[in-house]
Amino acid sequence: MVADLTTGEIIAAKNAHQPRLPASTQKVLTAVTLLPRLDPKGIYQATAEDVAVIGSKVGIREGSTYRISNLFEALFLRSGNDAAMALANANGGVDGTVAQMAVEARRLGALNTVP
């Protein structure tokens, strides 16, 4: 879908409402939601939950400590699901982060999403 940023008018669309797997879109929403909430200089200790996440990974190790800024780099550059999980946990947990992401998605106009 292509829309005018100022007016919101849809210029072109193809299968705009067809459900699709979120892939990296979910990682972008994770970043947009958490960048203003987490101190990039903060330190996070990885958990077993971070390591066990399914999908692409950057190789986070349980018990190792990571700077929040490095976790964001891993999220952006390697699309690491383990980095996404670690950032969600650094933000207080997955459930709260998903709720914040749903609010952010609605704020951005992504109205056809589900948590």
Side-chain angles (χ1 to χ4, degrees), residues 80-105:
N81 290 351
D82 50 354
M85 181 66 75
L87 288 165
N89 284 323
N91 186 53
V94 172
D95 291 342
T97 299
V98 168
Q100 291 170 344
M101 290 169 65
V103 169
E104 187 66 17

Side-chain angles (χ1 to χ4, degrees), residues 33-52:
T33 302
L34 297 182
L35 276 167
R37 290 179 166 88
L38 295 175
D39 178 2
K41 295 178 184 173
I43 301 296
Y44 175 76
Q45 185 171 13
T47 66
E49 182 183 26
D50 303 327
V51 174

Side-chain angles (χ1 to χ4, degrees), residues 10-98:
I10 304 301
I11 298 168
K14 181 176 181 181
N15 299 327
H17 298 288
Q18 179 179 355
R20 300 194 188 275
L21 295 174
S24 293
T25 303
Q26 201 69 349
K27 306 261 183 9
V28 171
L29 184 57
T30 300
V32 168
T33 302
L34 297 182
L35 276 167
R37 290 179 166 88
L38 295 175
D39 178 2
K41 295 178 184 173
I43 301 296
Y44 175 76
Q45 185 171 13
T47 66
E49 182 183 26
D50 303 327
V51 174
V53 71
I54 296 170
S56 64
K57 298 182 183 185
V58 296
I60 287 176
R61 296 174 54 153
E62 181 180 356
S64 294
T65 57
Y66 301 92
R67 190 175 288 266
I68 295 293
S69 62
N70 293 133
L71 291 172
F72 277 115
E73 290 171 3
L75 180 72
F76 290 130
L77 299 177
R78 294 287 308 261
S79 194
N81 290 351
D82 50 354
M85 181 66 75
L87 288 165
N89 284 323
N91 186 53
V94 172
D95 291 342
T97 299
V98 168

